[in-house]
Amino acid sequence: MVTGDDALSYALRTAYLHYLLQPRPRRQVPAPAAPHISRISTSSFQDLISDFSRTHRDPKSIRFPKGFLPVLKERTQLVLMGQDRQVEYKDAAVKRTFGSFYGALVEPRYYENTAKSRRPEDLLLIFYTHATKELQKLKHDDSWKQLVDRHVALFVRLMNIIIKEQGWASSNPELTARLSTLEKKLLRHDENLTEDGGNGRGSSSGTVLGLPEPLSYNVNDMPMVKTVSRVFNVPLEALQQDINKNKSVWTEKAAFQDMKAYMNNLNLNTGNTLQRNDFDLDEAYDAWCKAEKSEVSELILIMGRAHQELLIGSSSAPRNRLGHMHTASIYDSVHRAQTDLNRQSMYESPSLYNGQSMDQMGTTIEDDDTLYVYIPPDPRSFYRHVVSRCLTTDFNDPNVELEPIEIPGSDDPVLLLSKSSLELLEQCGLRWRLPKFSRMTLFLDALRMKYQEGEVDLSTLDAAFMYFDKVVESNSVAWSLADQNAYRQLLTSVHDFILRELYDILQHAYDKKAKPIGQVMWVLDQHIYNNELFTRGNMDSYVQQMKEGLKTRAEQVLEEMYEEEIIRNSETLDPLNVVTLVQNVIKLAEKVSKRFKEPVLGAVDPMMIIVEVAFPKLALKIRDVVEDLIQALRDEGKEMDIEDGFELYRELSEVRRIYLEAFPGSQFAVYLEDIFIEFPIRWLQKIDSLVLSWVEGAVKQDKLMIEWPEGKELGEERHTSSAVDIFRSFNQSIDFLKKLEWQDELQYAKFMTTMSKILGKGIMRYCEELDYWFTHEMSKKTPEQEAAQSQTKQQKWMAMAKEAWSNTQKVEPFQFAPESCVKLNNVEFALQQFDKVETAVSAERLAGIIQKYEPPQRGRDKKTTYVFTVKIMEAEDLKAMDLSGYSDPYVVLGDEFHRRLAKTRIVYSNLNPRWEESFDITTEGPLLLVATLWDWDAVGDHDCLGRASLKLDPHAFMDFLPKELWLDLDTQGRLLLRISMEGERDDIQFHFGKAFRTLKRTERDMTRQITDKLSAYIHHCLSRAALKSVLSKGGYGISAVSSLFSRTGFNSGRPQSTQTHAITDADIAAAVAPLTDYFNENFAILNQTLTPSAMTLVMTKLWKEVLVTLEALLVPTLSDKPSQQRPLSRQETEAVFRWLQLMFDFFHAVDETTGEATGVPIEQLKSPKYHELQTLNFFYFESTSDLIRSSERIGNAISAKQQAQRQQMMNNTSSSSNSLSVSGGGGGGGGVGRSKSVLNKRNLGTMKKMKEEKRREAQAEPNDDMILRILRMRPEAASYLKDRARQKEKVESIAAMDAIVARSVQQGPGRMGSFQNAGRR
């Protein structure tokens, strides 16, 4: 065990020896006669360079620092300019020599090569070359040879000065030592460069340097002894006494003898040095031994040259270059007795004193060859003790300035020891012959102890490791076994201690200000785990202990946060406190995640642990708190605010999301949706109560929709703000639900179903507003019409007669107002936006989810709502109520309680009107539907044309097939209705379909009102009277007048023209020219305000009106009774089909130049109605018998197809249900082949698809309707018409029965369950 006194003694000896070996100043004495002095400069400079470059263990240790060359360049320039502060560089010859060297140094190629190699020898040789050249020029005799070594010595000294001034000495001790040695060798005759001025022999006063000044032996003149005093905290007086007492023993000679003895032991392998068995590999020992011999030999040579008196008495004193001293014969007179000793390693010898005291050792040094004076018996222990003392003193003394040590790859230098401490340790290691790896291992171990005792922090230990890596060779195989073992123990000790510190740090991982872990992990990863000498053991137990500690701490932190936010506020608990608690826990988890981006030791993740432990417990606590809070509010007759409930759900959902992302496949502790389901339900109820006000407010704010400012132009969008505002509100509501990220997909699907119903309610209200204002605007009367309204019947007749006789009637285009057209644009915009809403909601997917979890169940006792779609098709043989012989009929639908359910538009001047308007009537049971036909009159009350009634019984329509019913009026004529039924369902697709159908009907009604303004002129230009006029080629120029008089009977006395001329295409085209001109004038007005798609829609509707008008010219409507309408002649038929082609070309509007169609697309022009008209050409002039046979053939084909379908259903029930296209679904919905079903209109895509299917079916299915309509004009076919009508009724009844059977094997209708029943699955 090394005591403090022992360590002090050897440290003091080393410091005192350093004082003894330092060059001493010399006094000026009169110059004696100049003897001839031999110089080194020319004869042995190459040998000096060889000694300087002698191979060292680390060749890099004698390279100059990276930043050295620029500083040398700068200092050399100062010397040649005479500006250097050192006196010895002021001499003119010195400046000349340095100037020549400077010129070579700055040469780019040389400078670059030298900067790369960083070899001091290159600088020395080039300086020596230029010094020799310049001094030969200066001295013409041989005296120049005496100055070369002096100038080279000045250059060496300048290099050493630069290294020390720049702070590179501590990190380059080997280089500074060799430069000092080289300087001493060059000045072996001890010339003082400062005083001599470089003149060779002496100064100009005739004096020379005498003997060195005698040593004072005063500790105040010994800097390193002062360092020992400070490090060991011993007064200088005590150290002075020790030096005085032992200075006869602690001599240069004793040091010289130590080195000789050490070298002898090393050469003879006699012990007291490192031995071969101290190394793992022989190669490692040989490398160390070779380098050690070189260093010791150099030390011996330096001491011998500096103090030649040490060589006196040594017969074997070295006289040749050190490089030639390879054998032990040089030291024959030294320690011969040691060859008989045991060859023991100095690392294995606990003591070399053999029980002697310091005083005894001093007196027996000459006799006991086994002892050293300056090398302690256990150098490692002594060195470590001194290192520990230095560390303690330097770190505890605030006045000590630590020496910065540059570390490669580090931005900042490390601060470990003071400069004086580093120099003391350098001398101790040098004199005690400790290898560098031993010194650094001991230094690191001593600092490790300081770290574990808490005297230094981890950053200092990190700096020590970096310093160790810089100084020591990384290949530990070259180390001694003792150092390898010591380093292993050091790493293990540091590792275990850091793990304890790491555990403590992690215990604060959840604190607001946690301790940083980065430096701990850096030291572990960079200095311990990456070190080849460290063996990592099994750490499972430690990792598990760390995890358990973190789990316990996570629970504690959660309890603390719960106590702070909930318990302390229990008397005044608010949802905000709960939200704050959840947010704080989430923020803590996020903060921990940022603190620990990677698992600690690759296995411990504090963030995962707090999520695993705290998040489920938090959810359970919050569940109880929320339930108590809701119940407390209910007891007070209150409810928790909806926004508070949503905020709690969002925060807890975030907790759940983090948990499930961390532990996929796990189940969260609480099913949040069951707790918070009341809040979206209440929110939807609130939205339901607001949606109508949204619509009404948007319409109220939309000034442009009510009245368009005169002169204001439409923008590109051509819709007004109400449509935008309404859908902004709709989309915001949808987005709100989506952003909730409700995790129960069934509940979410039901939320969206309710939302779709609410939106449909808003759409219906908006359509009502649009339709009301549109109808009001389209029904406005011109000033002339208002004046005519106040006229008496006699005045009206007189005005009509006057117009007829004057032939001044001119048909003017209708002035469509911009505010009317933008309403149609708004409907189109609403369709597009609602289609986007349906896509965004994913209605089909949500419907599938509900079907998955709650499939329809049969036999459930429930109350079903039914939707009847009543389409008022046409009427025939109505009473003529006006003087003109016509009526202006419209239909009003009501119930048995006289409540109005629907009303059609007015069809002017027609006894066989066609409306084709659909209305939805909702009922929960049978309903008596009353249809009343009225004749519109401009003056007075409207006249009743007749009534008919029908019982709408859901049981009669359970086949869900559309039925066409002729209702006989109680006066004259009959009314055709087409009725279908489907169940009102709480289904998202149903609600979207219903809303879409409402929009499409509004669009259709608006379009019809526009076309109604033009249809009167269509009927006039394409009438039988116009046809007759074309064929007679007379009087068509006043067609309006002739038509009027023919209707009123005023023209009965006029003779008809009997001229017959050949009818040309030009004549036929001229007949419709007024109509096309009229269309063009109106299209020009509409095109200014309608969107292109709305314009196409209007034109398509007009085309349909043209087709219906031409069809009415050819055949009557379908019925089982004969018609009074006469068939057209061949010439008339050809004219009608020519008109059809002309109107087709007009509406298609092909540009003659480009060939591009600019009107209605051809696929819309070639509608089923168009094809039906085309088929008339094939049957129109066939005989009655041929027509009957054709009808019978088609009827038999229909019956055969129906029979095949029934057989297929019998063979395979499921296949038959598919073949019959019976749609499934709850609530009584569905039907067979129902193209008008609400579900088929749930978005624009399904609408387009159904139109295409309808078109294909109309073209593919055999149909004899046109034949039957032709037969109505053949009186001889009356009986067949009745038989065929009965046959068709039978086919329809069989199809209805088949549909009922098919539905009976399907899933019965069922309602959606309540939201509360859509819980966890």
Side-chain angles (χ1 to χ4, degrees):
M1 183 69 180
V2 176
T3 64
D5 291 340
D6 293 340
L8 170 63
S9 174
Y10 276 92
L12 180 59
R13 298 182 198 195
T14 302
Y16 176 64
L17 178 62
H18 182 264
Y19 167 71
L20 295 178
L21 296 179
Q22 285 297 305
R24 286 169 279 170
R26 298 176 180 274
R27 299 172 182 168
Q28 292 285 344
V29 297
H36 176 73
I37 301 175
S38 61
R39 292 283 176 175
I40 300 175
S41 58
T42 57
S43 60
S44 60
F45 186 76
Q46 296 297 330
D47 293 337
L48 291 176
I49 294 299
S50 298
D51 292 341
F52 181 86
S53 306
R54 184 177 294 112
T55 303
H56 190 261
R57 284 193 301 266
D58 184 7
K60 296 181 181 180
S61 62
I62 60 170
R63 292 183 180 178
F64 55 76
K66 288 185 178 180
F68 173 80
L69 206 57
V71 181
L72 176 65
K73 176 182 174 182
E74 182 180 349
R75 288 296 294 269
T76 305
Q77 187 178 12
L78 292 176
V79 171
L80 68 91
M81 296 173 63
Q83 297 177 0
D84 194 87
R85 59 183 178 273
Q86 301 292 335
V87 179
E88 57 266 36
Y89 299 101
K90 302 292 186 180
D91 184 74
V94 173
K95 291 190 285 184
R96 181 170 179 173
T97 303
F98 273 77
S100 179
F101 166 74
Y102 180 80
L105 179 64
V106 297
E107 196 274 322
R109 185 172 181 182
Y110 174 79
Y111 187 89
E112 182 181 352
N113 293 335
T114 307
K116 287 182 179 179
S117 64
R118 293 166 48 208
R119 297 177 69 249
E121 300 93 316
D122 296 341
L123 293 173
L124 293 172
L125 288 172
I126 195 67
F127 186 89
Y128 173 78
T129 302
H130 284 272
T132 302
K133 181 176 66 174
E134 292 301 323
L135 290 175
Q136 283 179 340
K137 296 177 182 178
L138 185 64
K139 302 289 185 178
H140 300 290
D141 54 7
D142 292 339
S143 61
W144 65 271
K145 297 180 181 179
Q146 303 172 8
L147 297 177
V148 173
D149 56 337
R150 296 173 56 80
H151 285 206
V152 176
L154 282 172
F155 180 69
V156 173
R157 178 175 294 182
L158 182 64
M159 293 175 68
N160 235 337
I161 290 172
I162 291 172
I163 292 173
K164 292 178 181 178
E165 288 180 351
Q166 296 297 322
W168 294 326
S170 58
S171 56
N172 295 274
E174 190 70 31
L175 177 60
T176 55
R178 294 206 178 196
L179 289 173
S180 299
T181 301
L182 179 59
E183 182 184 346
K184 292 175 183 177
K185 291 179 179 179
L186 291 167
L187 300 176
R188 69 178 185 275
H189 295 291
D190 296 327
E191 291 90 343
N192 188 308
L193 298 177
T194 304
E195 297 297 332
D196 193 15
N199 291 326
R201 287 298 313 267
S203 66
S204 58
S205 60
T207 60
V208 295
L209 293 175
L211 294 174
E213 290 185 0
L215 297 172
S216 65
Y217 297 102
N218 189 332
V219 291
N220 292 314
D221 298 331
M222 307 176 187
M224 194 168 289
V225 173
K226 291 181 180 180
T227 301
V228 173
S229 171
R230 178 178 62 83
V231 168
F232 285 90
N233 196 21
V234 177
L236 283 173
E237 294 78 7
L239 298 183
Q240 183 71 67
Q241 292 177 4
D242 283 348
I243 290 172
N244 293 339
K245 179 179 179 181
N246 295 292
K247 67 181 179 180
S248 60
V249 178
W250 299 349
T251 62
E252 298 97 318
K253 184 177 180 180
F256 187 74
Q257 293 291 347
D258 277 358
M259 290 298 101
K260 289 171 60 180
Y262 182 85
M263 176 62 85
N264 190 53
N265 291 332
L266 190 62
N267 286 325
L268 300 178
N269 197 21
T270 56
N272 297 330
T273 66
L274 288 176
Q275 302 294 305
R276 187 174 296 275
N277 57 5
D278 288 324
F279 290 86
D280 189 26
L281 300 175
D282 290 342
E283 294 82 357
Y285 171 75
D286 294 337
W288 169 82
C289 188
K290 181 178 180 182
E292 185 72 358
K293 288 178 181 180
S294 175
E295 288 189 13
V296 173
S297 299
E298 188 171 349
L299 285 175
I300 293 173
L301 181 60
I302 292 173
M303 287 190 292
R305 287 181 173 174
H307 302 275
Q308 294 191 12
E309 66 276 7
L310 297 178
L311 300 176
I312 301 174
S314 178
S315 59
S316 304
R319 299 182 182 274
N320 299 320
R321 290 196 310 114
L322 191 59
H324 298 290
M325 302 177 188
H326 298 299
T327 65
S329 61
I330 303 176
Y331 305 103
D332 286 341
S333 61
V334 183
H335 303 307
R336 293 184 181 276
Q338 266 190 298
T339 56
D340 298 329
L341 297 176
N342 293 330
R343 294 187 172 96
Q344 189 176 22
S345 168
M346 63 187 299
Y347 282 1
E348 297 174 357
S349 176
S351 175
L352 295 176
Y353 293 113
N354 296 328
Q356 300 180 45
S357 66
M358 293 289 182
D359 295 336
Q360 290 173 325
M361 186 203 71
T363 58
T364 60
I365 187 68
E366 296 291 343
D367 301 324
D368 191 349
D369 290 333
T370 64
L371 300 180
Y372 299 118
V373 175
Y374 290 99
I375 302 178
D378 185 3
R380 293 173 55 83
S381 300
F382 276 78
Y383 188 82
R384 189 188 183 286
H385 191 94
V386 175
V387 171
S388 179
R389 287 278 190 173
C390 289
L391 290 171
T392 301
T393 304
D394 287 355
F395 284 127
N396 293 332
D397 189 350
N399 297 321
V400 171
E401 182 179 354
L402 301 182
E403 179 74 3
I405 303 173
E406 298 291 339
I407 302 296
S410 176
D411 297 334
D412 300 321
V414 299
L415 303 174
L416 296 172
L417 290 170
S418 63
K419 183 178 180 180
S420 58
S421 296
L422 287 171
E423 292 174 349
L424 174 62
L425 292 176
E426 179 67 23
Q427 286 299 314
C428 289
L430 183 68
R431 297 300 168 183
W432 298 352
R433 300 317 306 153
L434 282 173
K436 191 164 291 185
F437 50 75
S438 297
R439 300 181 214 171
M440 292 307 299
T441 301
L442 296 170
F443 167 78
L444 193 58
D445 187 59
L447 197 136
R448 181 268 310 169
M449 183 62 71
K450 299 296 181 185
Y451 164 68
Q452 294 179 353
E453 293 173 354
E455 296 184 25
V456 299
D457 57 15
L458 189 61
S459 61
T460 306
L461 181 64
D462 178 35
F465 271 111
M466 289 192 293
Y467 179 47
F468 182 93
D469 295 337
K470 174 183 181 294
V471 174
V472 179
E473 185 179 357
S474 59
N475 186 10
S476 60
V477 178
W479 304 358
S480 67
L481 291 173
D483 288 303
Q484 292 184 32
N485 293 331
Y487 199 72
R488 287 193 186 94
Q489 294 174 5
L490 180 150
L491 292 176
T492 302
S493 177
V494 171
H495 176 256
D496 295 344
F497 190 85
I498 288 181
L499 288 186
R500 289 192 291 272
E501 183 173 351
L502 178 60
Y503 183 88
D504 180 67
I505 291 175
L506 289 181
Q507 287 300 299
H508 298 277
Y510 306 132
D511 294 352
K512 292 182 178 179
K513 293 184 178 180
K515 297 179 180 179
I517 196 175
Q519 195 163 38
V520 172
M521 299 309 301
W522 168 264
V523 172
L524 286 174
D525 293 337
Q526 296 297 320
H527 304 311
I528 296 179
Y529 293 147
N530 286 342
N531 197 293
E532 60 183 6
L533 291 177
F534 179 75
T535 302
R536 192 168 182 174
N538 191 332
M539 297 182 63
D540 292 345
S541 175
Y542 173 78
V543 168
Q544 187 60 33
Q545 183 180 3
M546 187 180 292
K547 288 181 178 179
E548 294 299 327
L550 281 172
K551 289 180 180 179
T552 303
R553 182 57 187 154
E555 293 177 354
Q556 294 174 353
V557 170
L558 178 62
E559 291 297 331
E560 293 169 2
M561 299 173 75
Y562 185 80
E563 171 76 21
E564 181 178 357
E565 290 294 338
I566 305 300
I567 303 300
R568 293 182 183 177
N569 300 296
S570 58
E571 297 297 328
T572 59
L573 188 61
D574 186 85
L576 181 61
N577 300 116
V578 185
V579 171
T580 303
L581 172 62
V582 179
Q583 289 176 343
N584 290 341
V585 174
I586 293 175
K587 289 178 181 177
L588 175 60
E590 292 173 347
K591 189 180 295 183
V592 172
S593 178
K594 292 178 181 178
R595 290 173 181 170
F596 304 92
K597 296 182 178 179
E598 297 291 337
V600 179
L601 301 177
V604 181
D605 192 337
M607 192 273 184
M608 296 288 284
I609 289 175
I610 194 174
V611 169
E612 178 186 7
V613 174
F615 278 30
K617 291 182 179 295
L618 172 68
L620 292 170
K621 289 178 177 291
I622 297 302
R623 179 195 62 188
D624 298 339
V625 172
V626 170
E627 290 176 351
D628 293 344
L629 192 58
I630 292 175
Q631 188 59 45
L633 289 171
R634 286 176 180 168
D635 295 342
E636 298 176 4
K638 302 178 182 178
E639 288 182 325
M640 183 184 291
D641 188 78
I642 295 176
E643 289 302 321
D644 291 340
F646 282 147
E647 186 66 21
L648 274 170
Y649 177 76
R650 290 189 192 97
E651 297 299 335
L652 285 174
S653 294
E654 181 65 12
V655 170
R656 177 175 59 186
R657 182 192 66 79
I658 296 173
Y659 179 84
L660 295 179
E661 284 184 359
F663 302 98
S666 302
Q667 186 174 356
F668 196 56
V670 176
Y671 201 77
L672 302 178
E673 286 67 27
D674 287 349
I675 302 173
F676 295 98
I677 189 171
E678 71 167 89
F679 296 101
I681 294 175
R682 288 168 52 197
W683 179 80
L684 287 168
Q685 293 170 350
K686 180 180 178 182
I687 297 299
D688 187 34
S689 66
L690 294 175
V691 66
L692 295 183
S693 63
W694 290 350
V695 174
E696 292 165 1
V699 172
K700 186 176 181 181
Q701 294 295 323
D702 192 355
K703 305 297 183 183
L704 296 179
M705 195 180 79
I706 307 301
E707 183 176 0
W708 193 268
E710 187 175 353
K712 181 176 177 62
E713 294 184 359
L714 280 168
E716 293 183 0
E717 294 179 345
R718 299 201 169 191
H719 56 261
T720 56
S721 63
S722 59
V724 177
D725 294 341
I726 289 170
F727 277 94
R728 181 184 297 115
S729 301
F730 288 177
N731 288 323
Q732 287 173 352
S733 301
I734 293 290
D735 291 342
F736 182 85
L737 268 183
K738 293 173 71 175
K739 289 178 181 178
L740 276 180
E741 296 182 356
W742 200 265
Q743 294 301 303
D744 189 302
E745 61 179 6
L746 177 58
Q747 292 177 0
Y748 176 74
K750 292 186 175 184
F751 295 158
M752 281 300 182
T753 300
T754 303
M755 176 60 71
S756 66
K757 186 176 182 180
I758 294 171
L759 299 185
K761 180 179 176 182
I763 288 293
M764 184 172 293
R765 180 61 181 148
Y766 187 51
C767 289
E768 290 173 359
E769 291 282 344
L770 292 175
D771 186 65
Y772 169 79
W773 286 105
F774 187 84
T775 303
H776 174 73
E777 291 156 3
M778 296 295 289
S779 302
K780 282 183 179 180
K781 296 179 175 61
T782 64
E784 293 79 7
Q785 290 174 331
E786 291 179 353
Q789 187 174 355
S790 61
Q791 292 177 344
T792 64
K793 289 187 177 181
Q794 185 177 1
Q795 290 173 334
K796 291 180 181 179
W797 278 108
M798 292 301 296
M800 292 171 63
K802 184 178 180 180
E803 289 179 0
W805 285 107
S806 62
N807 197 24
T808 59
Q809 181 181 9
K810 182 178 184 299
V811 181
E812 297 290 341
F814 187 83
Q815 296 299 320
F816 295 99
E819 56 266 28
S820 301
C821 293
V822 296
K823 292 178 179 62
L824 181 56
N825 295 341
N826 284 353
V827 174
E828 183 193 17
F829 176 79
L831 277 166
Q832 295 170 354
Q833 293 300 310
F834 206 63
D835 186 63
K836 293 179 181 178
V837 170
E838 195 266 351
T839 302
V841 167
S842 301
E844 187 173 355
R845 182 182 66 84
L846 296 180
I849 290 173
I850 295 175
Q851 181 74 14
K852 171 184 174 183
Y853 289 109
E854 294 185 353
Q857 299 180 9
R858 300 183 60 185
R860 294 180 61 180
D861 185 15
K862 62 186 185 304
K863 194 172 183 180
T864 305
T865 301
Y866 299 96
V867 179
F868 283 93
T869 300
V870 179
K871 187 172 184 178
I872 302 176
M873 300 293 294
E874 59 183 325
E876 62 179 24
D877 298 332
L878 298 180
K879 289 173 59 177
M881 304 298 291
D882 296 337
L883 295 176
S884 62
Y886 291 93
S887 294
D888 302 321
Y890 65 92
V891 182
V892 175
L893 296 180
D895 61 8
E896 54 192 306
F897 303 105
H898 304 290
R899 290 177 298 193
R900 177 180 287 191
L901 301 177
K903 175 181 175 294
T904 68
R905 74 188 191 280
I906 301 170
V907 178
Y908 296 96
S909 302
N910 203 321
L911 299 179
N912 299 291
R914 188 175 187 87
W915 291 280
E916 292 189 359
E917 294 187 35
S918 298
F919 305 97
D920 286 341
I921 298 174
T922 303
T923 180
E924 294 179 356
L927 173 71
L928 181 63
L929 183 67
V930 179
T932 305
L933 278 79
W934 296 89
D935 172 53
W936 178 87
D937 285 327
V939 181
D941 296 333
H942 300 181
D943 300 320
C944 180
L945 294 174
R947 290 184 177 86
S949 61
L950 171 69
K951 184 178 182 180
L952 295 180
D953 189 352
H955 293 287
F957 290 86
M958 289 306 293
D959 56 359
F960 300 103
L961 288 171
K963 295 178 172 59
E964 289 189 355
L965 303 174
W966 281 100
L967 304 180
D968 292 326
L969 302 179
D970 56 0
T971 55
Q972 175 184 329
R974 56 181 183 167
L975 177 68
L976 177 62
L977 301 181
R978 179 178 293 171
I979 302 174
S980 60
M981 186 197 75
E982 61 185 317
E984 177 81 26
R985 300 190 295 171
D986 195 10
D987 178 270
I988 188 170
Q989 291 180 303
F990 180 86
H991 295 313
F992 270 106
K994 189 174 181 180
F996 268 110
R997 188 161 67 176
T998 301
L999 285 168
K1000 290 299 291 184
R1001 282 181 178 174
T1002 303
E1003 181 185 57
R1004 181 198 61 200
D1005 292 343
M1006 288 183 178
T1007 307
R1008 180 178 287 116
Q1009 290 191 59
I1010 293 175
T1011 57
D1012 282 350
K1013 297 300 180 182
L1014 311 180
S1015 61
Y1017 198 59
I1018 296 174
H1019 298 158
H1020 170 69
C1021 293
L1022 301 179
S1023 63
R1024 288 202 170 215
L1027 183 61
K1028 182 178 179 181
S1029 178
V1030 171
L1031 295 179
S1032 64
K1033 290 184 61 66
Y1036 190 74
I1038 54 170
S1039 59
V1041 177
S1042 62
S1043 176
L1044 173 63
F1045 277 85
S1046 66
R1047 294 199 305 270
T1048 58
F1050 283 7
N1051 200 30
S1052 58
R1054 292 189 175 188
Q1056 299 294 323
S1057 173
T1058 58
Q1059 298 178 1
T1060 58
H1061 299 281
I1063 304 301
T1064 65
D1065 288 344
D1067 295 331
I1068 298 174
V1072 294
L1075 179 60
T1076 56
D1077 292 341
Y1078 182 67
F1079 281 158
N1080 285 329
E1081 291 174 353
N1082 284 278
F1083 289 168
I1085 296 172
L1086 291 171
N1087 199 41
Q1088 294 175 359
T1089 51
L1090 291 180
T1091 63
S1093 56
M1095 189 66 198
T1096 302
L1097 184 66
V1098 170
M1099 294 174 67
T1100 304
K1101 191 68 178 177
L1102 286 171
W1103 167 246
K1104 183 177 180 181
E1105 191 69 25
V1106 168
L1107 292 178
V1108 171
T1109 303
L1110 293 177
E1111 182 186 52
L1113 288 176
L1114 293 166
V1115 290
T1117 57
L1118 184 65
S1119 175
D1120 59 348
K1121 296 180 179 180
S1123 173
Q1124 300 300 320
Q1125 181 175 336
R1126 69 171 181 83
L1128 298 180
S1129 65
R1130 289 186 180 273
Q1131 194 176 21
E1132 290 173 327
T1133 305
E1134 291 174 1
V1136 169
F1137 280 101
R1138 179 59 182 155
W1139 281 351
L1140 176 63
Q1141 185 61 44
L1142 288 171
M1143 297 309 296
F1144 183 94
D1145 295 339
F1146 172 78
F1147 279 96
H1148 194 37
V1150 176
D1151 191 298
E1152 296 179 358
T1153 304
T1154 62
E1156 181 182 358
T1158 59
V1160 180
I1162 195 168
E1163 60 271 12
Q1164 295 184 28
L1165 291 174
K1166 292 186 176 181
S1167 62
K1169 180 68 68 177
Y1170 175 79
H1171 288 291
E1172 286 178 357
L1173 285 177
Q1174 294 289 347
T1175 60
L1176 278 175
N1177 247 340
F1178 299 102
F1179 299 108
Y1180 201 78
F1181 295 103
E1182 287 189 8
S1183 64
T1184 301
S1185 58
D1186 289 341
L1187 289 176
I1188 292 174
R1189 281 194 294 271
S1190 297
S1191 175
E1192 289 176 344
R1193 185 173 61 255
I1194 294 174
N1196 293 334
I1198 293 174
S1199 299
K1201 182 178 180 181
Q1202 186 183 59
Q1203 183 65 28
Q1205 289 179 342
R1206 294 188 67 196
Q1207 185 64 38
Q1208 183 180 4
M1209 183 178 63
M1210 294 174 62
N1211 295 334
N1212 189 335
T1213 303
S1214 60
S1215 299
S1216 70
S1217 61
N1218 290 333
S1219 66
L1220 289 170
S1221 303
V1222 180
S1223 62
V1232 181
R1234 293 231 27 222
S1235 63
K1236 298 293 184 181
S1237 172
V1238 171
L1239 293 180
N1240 292 329
K1241 296 188 177 182
R1242 61 183 181 271
N1243 55 43
L1244 296 180
T1246 56
M1247 290 181 182
K1248 184 176 180 180
K1249 181 179 178 182
M1250 288 308 302
K1251 283 185 178 180
E1252 293 297 328
E1253 290 181 0
K1254 183 179 177 181
R1255 187 189 303 273
R1256 288 195 297 269
E1257 289 175 3
Q1259 295 176 1
E1261 291 291 330
N1263 194 308
D1264 62 342
D1265 287 351
M1266 278 298 177
I1267 297 176
L1268 295 175
R1269 293 173 72 175
I1270 296 172
L1271 289 174
R1272 285 194 67 195
M1273 296 184 293
R1274 312 281 179 91
E1276 64 273 19
S1279 59
Y1280 177 76
L1281 287 174
K1282 291 182 180 180
D1283 294 340
R1284 181 73 180 104
R1286 287 193 293 269
Q1287 184 184 10
K1288 291 182 73 172
E1289 289 177 0
K1290 182 179 179 180
V1291 169
E1292 290 175 357
S1293 63
I1294 293 174
M1297 292 176 59
D1298 292 343
I1300 293 173
V1301 172
R1303 287 188 58 81
S1304 68
V1305 298
Q1306 293 184 350
Q1307 194 75 331
R1311 282 190 178 272
M1312 290 172 52
S1314 65
F1315 287 114
Q1316 285 79 3
N1317 293 334
R1320 187 175 342 182
R1321 282 155 302 284

